[in-house]
Amino acid sequence: MTQDASVATGSQTYLRLLGYARDHWRRMAVAIVCMIGYGVTDATFAALMKPLLDGGFVERTTPNPWLVPLAVLGLFLFRGVTGFLSTYNLEWVGGRVIATLRANLFQKYLDLPSSHYDQTTGGEMISRLTYNIQMVANAASRAVTVLIRDTVTIIALLSLMAWHSWRLTLAFLLIGPILGVLIAWISKRFRRISHGIQESMGRLTHTTEEAIDGQRVVKIYGGQAHERARFATANERTFRLTLKEAATRAASTPVIHFLVAMALAAIMYVASVEGLSQSLSVGEFMSFLTAMLLLFQPLRALSDLNATIQKGIAAGESVFSLLDSPSEPDTGTQTFEGQLSIIEFDNIGFSYPNSTRSAIDKAHFEMRAGQTVALVGRSGSGKTTLAHLLARLYEPTSGAVRIDGTDIREYSLQSLRAQIAYVGQDVKLFNDTVAANIAYARDVSSAEIEAAAAAANADAFIAELDQGYDTWVGDDGVLLSGGQRQRIAIARALLKRAPLLILDEATSALDTESEHLVQAGLETLMRSCTTLVIAHRLSTIERADHIVVLDRGQVVEQGTHAELLAQHGYYARLHQAP
């Protein structure tokens, strides 16, 4: 039962792979016609052996001895043209399949829910986009070349052999069932090993990515040996699996050839029997023998092809499982225009996948238009999670976030997030110019970019850069200081002019002087926004209109700064702590 399901799954996956190639059916049709033409050239060449030997050497009755050599030249010219056209068109189709699959997979990455990123490493995702899709494309396009061309060649050669002697051909075909059993076993082994290689490549990529991203920590803490050991483990596993694949391929080809050689030896023996040898002319026997010898190459290609197809199926299962996974839920039909009176966190409950405890438990508080509401608490109390729920990066497991009584899940994601600006604790800058990072995903003028930078007090340091706003910031802004990156992120939020603002430790990377400069810009922005502020340093949120105190996902206190201090409770203890 399991075996049948596996076969069905493999065939369905491969048909789905070929579906991407079918989208380019015109080029596929040209390639297939050319492959069929190419495939019959071997049989035609073998057939020419009969008139060449019987008429030219045995009977010497050929009236025009130049006909056969000329036919050979024409045959190989035809073979070259059809081979070029089939290869070129299949490569074109393969390239388009890769581009389409990568575009689809990248789009899926953009649409996946945040919970997926919590459970999957970046290395695994990059490996799928590069290594796995390359294997898929090979199976969907290049493998088709061998599959069609060599299958046609085998059929043509077998037909010629049967034309000359069906008895000898039948003897040759007796090895077919043995080859079928052998190839079926090899298929299962290839697919199993290929799955392992793909997983191992994901770990290898992830280990490399972590070492590169954390190179400063690695150097300062002397972690080179540790990282080498981690990489060596992943690298060795990949090597061993690749070696298993190579050993399987290397062993399968000579075994198949040996079986064919056994048939060849048997046929040569049978053909030497007097009765049979008298029924075949020299030319017919050599034509038969040539056709049989020419079968070696397509049989070898088909046996090697099996490895490519099985790797493609294994990779396809990995890619398609992700493409078929659910995207962010976006069932909202209403459009949020950014006008609001009140935001209500109504008895919110939330648990992260595979977690045994609730990150948020029955949290309830309100934000009124124009207010600044601060979330306060120790690390892990649920502050950032609540901010993520407002932006619908996660969905609550109970309760709801409502804007003027409407559950935010009834708004489309695009319209909701279009009204939210965000500055997080971990600033993300892209390897682009300063101006492009400030204007990210927005079509704005240089004057607007410069105004936003000035409001964030970033214009002074930008002016000192070699190329000003056209300076490239490096991978993740590595060429800028932490405070400079933070101010660019704040300028990006200022430029969006969104009515809802989320500040998650937005000034955490700034020194005292920079913090005062940025705080002035933020206060200007916050006067026109409804702001949710998350901060560990309580001094930064004392002027908030409302403070919500969290502990282990629960709201334990709320009120103004003065009111909370007067209660002498949890907030007061936090405020007094050094």
Side-chain angles (χ1 to χ4, degrees):
M1 188 65 141
T2 305
Q3 180 178 349
D4 294 341
S6 174
V7 171
T9 301
S11 61
Q12 290 167 5
T13 299
Y14 193 63
L15 288 174
R16 185 170 176 180
L17 300 183
L18 293 179
Y20 284 86
R22 274 201 308 272
D23 292 340
H24 311 288
W25 65 270
R26 288 183 178 86
R27 285 186 179 270
M28 284 293 294
V30 171
I32 289 172
V33 170
C34 290
M35 283 187 285
I36 293 173
Y38 184 97
V40 300
T41 57
D42 280 351
T44 305
F45 177 75
L48 288 174
M49 293 297 102
K50 182 179 184 303
L52 177 65
L53 294 174
D54 286 344
F57 291 93
V58 178
E59 301 173 5
R60 298 190 179 276
T61 59
T62 304
N64 298 311
W66 49 268
L67 283 178
V68 173
L70 190 61
V72 170
L73 288 175
L75 179 66
F76 277 88
L77 177 61
F78 176 78
R79 181 186 179 93
V81 172
T82 55
F84 169 79
L85 290 175
S86 62
T87 301
Y88 176 82
N89 282 285
L90 260 297
E91 287 293 331
W92 189 95
V93 171
R96 294 310 307 169
V97 168
I98 290 175
T100 301
L101 276 173
R102 282 183 176 153
N104 291 348
L105 193 57
F106 186 76
Q107 180 62 50
K108 172 58 72 171
Y109 285 171
L110 297 179
D111 294 339
L112 285 171
S114 297
S115 57
H116 179 89
Y117 291 90
D118 297 336
Q119 303 172 64
T120 308
T121 67
E124 292 175 10
M125 298 178 76
I126 293 172
S127 179
R128 281 180 176 176
L129 194 66
T130 53
Y131 176 79
N132 288 24
I133 283 184
Q134 186 66 54
M135 296 301 100
V136 168
N138 288 345
S141 60
R142 296 180 187 176
V144 175
T145 304
V146 177
L147 187 64
I148 296 176
R149 186 184 65 197
D150 290 303
T151 299
V152 169
T153 300
I154 290 172
I155 292 173
L157 289 171
L158 286 174
S159 299
L160 178 64
M161 290 165 61
W163 175 264
H164 289 312
S165 174
W166 65 268
R167 293 183 181 84
L168 292 180
T169 305
L170 184 62
F172 178 81
L173 291 177
L174 289 178
I175 66 167
I178 302 174
L179 287 174
V181 172
L182 180 62
I183 290 173
W185 177 82
I186 293 171
S187 297
K188 293 178 185 176
R189 182 171 174 82
F190 270 130
R191 196 182 306 177
R192 186 174 62 252
I193 295 172
S194 294
H195 275 301
I197 290 175
Q198 289 157 26
E199 292 173 4
S200 183
M201 283 295 295
R203 294 194 191 100
L204 193 68
T205 307
H206 176 62
T207 302
T208 305
E209 184 183 37
E210 281 192 327
I212 292 171
D213 290 345
Q215 55 94 10
R216 291 185 180 86
V217 175
V218 172
K219 290 174 180 174
I220 292 172
Y221 283 88
Q224 289 92 338
H226 175 69
E227 294 302 325
R228 277 197 298 271
R230 289 180 64 209
F231 184 85
T233 300
N235 200 25
E236 183 66 19
R237 185 171 188 272
T238 304
F239 166 73
R240 291 186 179 280
L241 287 170
T242 305
L243 196 62
K244 281 185 179 181
E245 181 192 33
T248 303
R249 184 188 297 110
S252 62
T253 299
V255 168
I256 291 173
H257 286 180
F258 181 74
L259 290 172
V260 175
M262 287 177 60
L264 175 61
I267 287 169
M268 293 179 71
Y269 171 76
V270 172
S272 64
V273 175
E274 183 178 356
L276 186 56
S277 62
Q278 290 178 350
S279 66
L280 289 175
S281 69
V282 172
E284 287 174 332
F285 180 71
M286 285 306 300
S287 178
F288 181 93
L289 195 60
T290 301
M292 190 169 61
L293 291 172
L294 288 174
L295 276 172
F296 274 81
Q297 192 280 329
L299 283 173
R300 176 181 179 180
L302 285 177
S303 63
D304 289 342
L305 170 68
N306 184 55
T308 302
I309 291 178
Q310 295 308 317
K311 286 197 292 185
I313 290 174
E317 290 169 354
S318 170
V319 171
F320 292 142
S321 67
L322 186 57
L323 286 175
D324 294 338
S325 64
S327 299
E328 277 189 303
D330 188 12
T331 56
T333 57
Q334 299 187 40
T335 300
F336 179 50
E337 302 292 348
Q339 299 173 351
L340 61 93
S341 299
I342 186 170
I343 299 174
E344 181 184 12
F345 288 78
D346 184 12
N347 290 316
I348 295 293
F350 178 77
S351 298
Y352 287 98
N354 303 321
S355 176
T356 56
R357 73 175 189 88
S358 297
I360 303 294
D361 184 19
K362 298 180 180 178
H364 189 97
F365 63 93
E366 296 176 351
M367 299 173 59
R368 298 193 176 274
Q371 278 190 335
T372 295
V373 175
L375 301 181
V376 176
R378 293 189 175 90
S379 296
S381 60
K383 305 183 298 298
T384 298
T385 300
L386 282 171
H388 289 167
L389 291 172
L390 176 59
R392 282 194 66 191
L393 296 176
Y394 296 96
E395 301 288 354
T397 51
S398 62
V401 181
R402 294 187 172 87
I403 296 178
D404 294 339
T406 301
D407 191 327
I408 62 172
R409 284 172 287 198
E410 296 183 22
Y411 295 118
S412 67
L413 283 175
Q414 183 179 6
S415 69
L416 175 68
R417 292 172 181 169
Q419 307 300 328
I420 299 175
Y422 174 80
V423 181
Q425 182 176 2
D426 298 321
V427 175
K428 177 61 187 177
L429 297 184
F430 298 90
N431 189 17
D432 208 330
T433 64
V434 170
N437 273 282
I438 294 175
Y440 178 69
R442 301 180 68 79
D443 185 13
V444 294
S445 66
S446 298
E448 291 174 290
I449 293 172
E450 292 170 9
N457 285 296
D459 54 338
F461 85 79
I462 294 174
E464 295 175 356
L465 298 174
D466 291 340
Q467 297 179 344
Y469 285 88
D470 294 325
T471 303
W472 285 67
V473 302
D475 186 26
D476 205 15
V478 70
L479 301 179
L480 303 177
S481 70
Q484 289 171 337
R485 291 198 299 270
Q486 200 100 25
R487 277 180 276 175
I488 287 179
I490 292 169
R492 183 163 59 196
L494 284 160
L495 185 61
K496 191 174 183 181
R497 300 187 187 92
L500 277 172
L501 176 64
I502 299 173
L503 302 176
D504 187 357
E505 297 288 346
T507 59
S508 63
L510 305 180
D511 53 41
T512 303
E513 181 181 357
S514 298
E515 183 176 355
H516 288 310
L517 292 172
V518 171
Q519 199 65 42
L522 286 176
E523 288 175 1
T524 301
L525 174 64
M526 291 162 66
R527 279 197 293 268
S528 60
C529 293
T530 303
T531 307
L532 186 65
V533 179
I534 299 170
H536 288 293
R537 289 183 289 182
L538 301 188
S539 60
T540 61
I541 47 89
E542 289 177 356
R543 286 181 289 177
D545 299 299
H546 192 71
I547 299 173
V548 179
V549 186
L550 296 165
D551 182 39
R552 297 181 181 179
Q554 295 182 327
V555 176
V556 293
E557 292 175 350
Q558 52 183 311
T560 64
H561 173 68
E563 290 170 348
L564 292 173
L565 286 181
Q567 292 179 19
H568 301 291
Y570 192 92
Y571 179 82
R573 291 194 298 273
L574 286 176
H575 193 267
Q576 293 169 3

Short mmCIF file of all heavy atoms in Angstrom, two decimals, residues 333-343 390 403-404 406 408 410-420 499-500:
data_model
loop_
_atom_site.label_atom_id
_atom_site.label_comp_id
_atom_site.label_asym_id
_atom_site.label_seq_id
_atom_site.Cartn_x
_atom_site.Cartn_y
_atom_site.Cartn_z
N THR A 333 -12.62 41.71 3.59
CA THR A 333 -13.21 42.34 2.40
C THR A 333 -13.35 43.84 2.54
O THR A 333 -13.61 44.53 1.55
CB THR A 333 -14.60 41.73 2.12
OG1 THR A 333 -15.44 41.89 3.27
CG2 THR A 333 -14.47 40.24 1.81
N GLN A 334 -13.18 44.36 3.76
CA GLN A 334 -13.31 45.79 3.96
C GLN A 334 -11.96 46.49 3.77
O GLN A 334 -10.91 45.89 3.93
CB GLN A 334 -13.85 46.09 5.36
CG GLN A 334 -15.24 45.52 5.62
CD GLN A 334 -15.80 45.98 6.95
OE1 GLN A 334 -15.65 47.13 7.34
NE2 GLN A 334 -16.45 45.07 7.68
N THR A 335 -12.03 47.77 3.45
CA THR A 335 -10.83 48.58 3.28
C THR A 335 -10.70 49.54 4.44
O THR A 335 -11.63 50.32 4.72
CB THR A 335 -10.89 49.37 1.96
OG1 THR A 335 -10.99 48.45 0.87
CG2 THR A 335 -9.63 50.21 1.78
N PHE A 336 -9.57 49.48 5.12
CA PHE A 336 -9.33 50.38 6.24
C PHE A 336 -8.69 51.66 5.71
O PHE A 336 -7.62 51.63 5.12
CB PHE A 336 -8.41 49.70 7.26
CG PHE A 336 -8.08 50.56 8.45
CD1 PHE A 336 -9.08 51.22 9.15
CD2 PHE A 336 -6.77 50.73 8.86
CE1 PHE A 336 -8.77 52.02 10.24
CE2 PHE A 336 -6.46 51.52 9.95
CZ PHE A 336 -7.46 52.17 10.64
N GLU A 337 -9.36 52.78 5.93
CA GLU A 337 -8.90 54.05 5.39
C GLU A 337 -7.99 54.82 6.33
O GLU A 337 -7.47 55.87 5.99
CB GLU A 337 -10.11 54.94 5.04
CG GLU A 337 -11.07 54.31 4.05
CD GLU A 337 -10.48 54.15 2.66
OE1 GLU A 337 -9.41 54.75 2.40
OE2 GLU A 337 -11.08 53.44 1.83
N GLY A 338 -7.80 54.31 7.54
CA GLY A 338 -6.90 54.96 8.48
C GLY A 338 -7.59 55.89 9.47
O GLY A 338 -6.96 56.47 10.35
N GLN A 339 -8.90 56.07 9.33
CA GLN A 339 -9.65 56.90 10.27
C GLN A 339 -10.19 56.03 11.39
O GLN A 339 -10.80 55.00 11.14
CB GLN A 339 -10.79 57.61 9.54
CG GLN A 339 -10.31 58.53 8.42
CD GLN A 339 -11.46 59.08 7.59
OE1 GLN A 339 -12.60 58.65 7.75
NE2 GLN A 339 -11.16 60.03 6.73
N LEU A 340 -9.94 56.44 12.63
CA LEU A 340 -10.36 55.62 13.75
C LEU A 340 -10.66 56.49 14.97
O LEU A 340 -10.19 57.62 15.08
CB LEU A 340 -9.29 54.58 14.09
CG LEU A 340 -7.92 55.11 14.51
CD1 LEU A 340 -7.80 55.25 16.02
CD2 LEU A 340 -6.82 54.18 14.00
N SER A 341 -11.43 55.92 15.85
CA SER A 341 -11.72 56.57 17.13
C SER A 341 -11.11 55.79 18.28
O SER A 341 -10.58 56.36 19.23
CB SER A 341 -13.24 56.70 17.32
OG SER A 341 -13.81 57.48 16.31
N ILE A 342 -11.18 54.46 18.17
CA ILE A 342 -10.69 53.63 19.28
C ILE A 342 -10.21 52.28 18.75
O ILE A 342 -10.81 51.69 17.84
CB ILE A 342 -11.81 53.43 20.34
CG1 ILE A 342 -11.26 52.69 21.56
CG2 ILE A 342 -13.00 52.70 19.76
CD1 ILE A 342 -12.23 52.66 22.73
N ILE A 343 -9.10 51.80 19.29
CA ILE A 343 -8.59 50.45 19.02
C ILE A 343 -8.73 49.66 20.31
O ILE A 343 -8.26 50.09 21.37
CB ILE A 343 -7.12 50.47 18.58
CG1 ILE A 343 -6.96 51.28 17.28
CG2 ILE A 343 -6.61 49.04 18.36
CD1 ILE A 343 -5.51 51.46 16.87
N LEU A 390 -1.44 43.55 16.30
CA LEU A 390 -2.08 44.74 15.73
C LEU A 390 -1.80 44.84 14.23
O LEU A 390 -2.66 45.24 13.45
CB LEU A 390 -1.58 46.00 16.44
CG LEU A 390 -2.09 47.34 15.90
CD1 LEU A 390 -3.62 47.40 15.95
CD2 LEU A 390 -1.48 48.51 16.67
N ILE A 403 -11.07 47.77 15.61
CA ILE A 403 -10.96 49.20 15.33
C ILE A 403 -12.38 49.72 15.16
O ILE A 403 -13.09 49.31 14.22
CB ILE A 403 -10.12 49.49 14.08
CG1 ILE A 403 -8.67 49.02 14.30
CG2 ILE A 403 -10.15 50.97 13.74
CD1 ILE A 403 -7.76 49.22 13.11
N ASP A 404 -12.80 50.58 16.09
CA ASP A 404 -14.17 51.11 16.08
C ASP A 404 -15.20 49.99 15.97
O ASP A 404 -16.17 50.07 15.21
CB ASP A 404 -14.35 52.10 14.93
CG ASP A 404 -13.51 53.36 15.12
OD1 ASP A 404 -13.12 53.64 16.28
OD2 ASP A 404 -13.24 54.06 14.13
N THR A 406 -14.88 47.02 14.70
CA THR A 406 -14.69 46.06 13.60
C THR A 406 -13.44 45.23 13.83
O THR A 406 -12.36 45.77 14.04
CB THR A 406 -14.57 46.80 12.25
OG1 THR A 406 -15.74 47.58 12.02
CG2 THR A 406 -14.39 45.81 11.11
N ILE A 408 -10.20 43.50 13.08
CA ILE A 408 -9.25 43.85 12.03
C ILE A 408 -9.09 42.72 11.01
O ILE A 408 -8.59 42.96 9.90
CB ILE A 408 -7.87 44.25 12.60
CG1 ILE A 408 -7.23 43.08 13.36
CG2 ILE A 408 -7.98 45.49 13.46
CD1 ILE A 408 -5.80 43.37 13.78
N GLU A 410 -11.44 41.59 9.41
CA GLU A 410 -12.39 41.89 8.35
C GLU A 410 -11.82 42.88 7.35
O GLU A 410 -12.41 43.12 6.29
CB GLU A 410 -13.69 42.43 8.95
CG GLU A 410 -14.41 41.40 9.83
CD GLU A 410 -15.73 41.94 10.36
OE1 GLU A 410 -16.28 42.89 9.74
OE2 GLU A 410 -16.22 41.42 11.38
N TYR A 411 -10.66 43.48 7.68
CA TYR A 411 -9.98 44.36 6.74
C TYR A 411 -8.98 43.55 5.91
O TYR A 411 -8.40 42.59 6.40
CB TYR A 411 -9.22 45.47 7.46
CG TYR A 411 -10.09 46.43 8.23
CD1 TYR A 411 -9.97 46.54 9.62
CD2 TYR A 411 -11.01 47.24 7.58
CE1 TYR A 411 -10.76 47.43 10.33
CE2 TYR A 411 -11.81 48.13 8.28
CZ TYR A 411 -11.68 48.21 9.67
OH TYR A 411 -12.46 49.10 10.37
N SER A 412 -8.76 43.95 4.67
CA SER A 412 -7.73 43.30 3.88
C SER A 412 -6.37 43.63 4.47
O SER A 412 -6.17 44.71 5.06
CB SER A 412 -7.79 43.78 2.42
OG SER A 412 -7.43 45.15 2.33
N LEU A 413 -5.43 42.70 4.35
CA LEU A 413 -4.10 42.92 4.92
C LEU A 413 -3.43 44.16 4.33
O LEU A 413 -2.80 44.95 5.05
CB LEU A 413 -3.22 41.69 4.67
CG LEU A 413 -3.45 40.47 5.55
CD1 LEU A 413 -2.58 39.31 5.08
CD2 LEU A 413 -3.16 40.78 7.00
N GLN A 414 -3.57 44.33 3.03
CA GLN A 414 -2.91 45.45 2.37
C GLN A 414 -3.43 46.79 2.89
O GLN A 414 -2.64 47.69 3.19
CB GLN A 414 -3.11 45.37 0.86
CG GLN A 414 -2.39 46.47 0.08
CD GLN A 414 -2.58 46.36 -1.41
OE1 GLN A 414 -3.35 45.52 -1.87
NE2 GLN A 414 -1.88 47.18 -2.17
N SER A 415 -4.75 46.92 3.02
CA SER A 415 -5.29 48.20 3.46
C SER A 415 -4.98 48.46 4.93
O SER A 415 -4.76 49.61 5.33
CB SER A 415 -6.81 48.24 3.23
OG SER A 415 -7.49 47.35 4.11
N LEU A 416 -4.94 47.41 5.76
CA LEU A 416 -4.60 47.59 7.17
C LEU A 416 -3.15 48.01 7.34
O LEU A 416 -2.86 49.01 8.02
CB LEU A 416 -4.88 46.29 7.94
CG LEU A 416 -4.47 46.29 9.42
CD1 LEU A 416 -5.35 47.25 10.22
CD2 LEU A 416 -4.54 44.88 10.01
N ARG A 417 -2.25 47.27 6.72
CA ARG A 417 -0.83 47.55 6.90
C ARG A 417 -0.39 48.83 6.21
O ARG A 417 0.62 49.42 6.58
CB ARG A 417 0.00 46.36 6.41
CG ARG A 417 -0.18 45.13 7.29
CD ARG A 417 0.47 43.90 6.72
NE ARG A 417 0.25 42.73 7.57
CZ ARG A 417 0.53 41.48 7.22
NH1 ARG A 417 1.02 41.23 6.01
NH2 ARG A 417 0.30 40.49 8.06
N ALA A 418 -1.17 49.27 5.22
CA ALA A 418 -0.84 50.54 4.57
C ALA A 418 -0.98 51.71 5.53
O ALA A 418 -0.40 52.78 5.30
CB ALA A 418 -1.75 50.74 3.35
N GLN A 419 -1.73 51.51 6.61
CA GLN A 419 -1.96 52.58 7.57
C GLN A 419 -1.09 52.44 8.83
O GLN A 419 -1.31 53.10 9.83
CB GLN A 419 -3.44 52.60 8.00
CG GLN A 419 -4.42 52.64 6.83
CD GLN A 419 -4.23 53.86 5.96
OE1 GLN A 419 -3.85 54.93 6.45
NE2 GLN A 419 -4.47 53.71 4.66
N ILE A 420 -0.08 51.56 8.76
CA ILE A 420 0.80 51.31 9.92
C ILE A 420 2.24 51.56 9.54
O ILE A 420 2.72 51.07 8.51
CB ILE A 420 0.64 49.86 10.43
CG1 ILE A 420 -0.80 49.59 10.88
CG2 ILE A 420 1.61 49.58 11.57
CD1 ILE A 420 -1.05 48.15 11.28
N PRO A 499 -1.25 56.73 9.94
CA PRO A 499 -1.94 57.17 11.17
C PRO A 499 -1.67 56.28 12.37
O PRO A 499 -1.91 56.70 13.50
CB PRO A 499 -3.41 57.13 10.77
CG PRO A 499 -3.48 56.13 9.66
CD PRO A 499 -2.19 56.25 8.92
N LEU A 500 -1.21 55.05 12.13
CA LEU A 500 -0.87 54.14 13.22
C LEU A 500 0.64 53.93 13.23
O LEU A 500 1.23 53.61 12.20
CB LEU A 500 -1.57 52.79 13.05
CG LEU A 500 -3.01 52.67 13.55
CD1 LEU A 500 -3.61 51.35 13.11
CD2 LEU A 500 -3.10 52.81 15.05
#
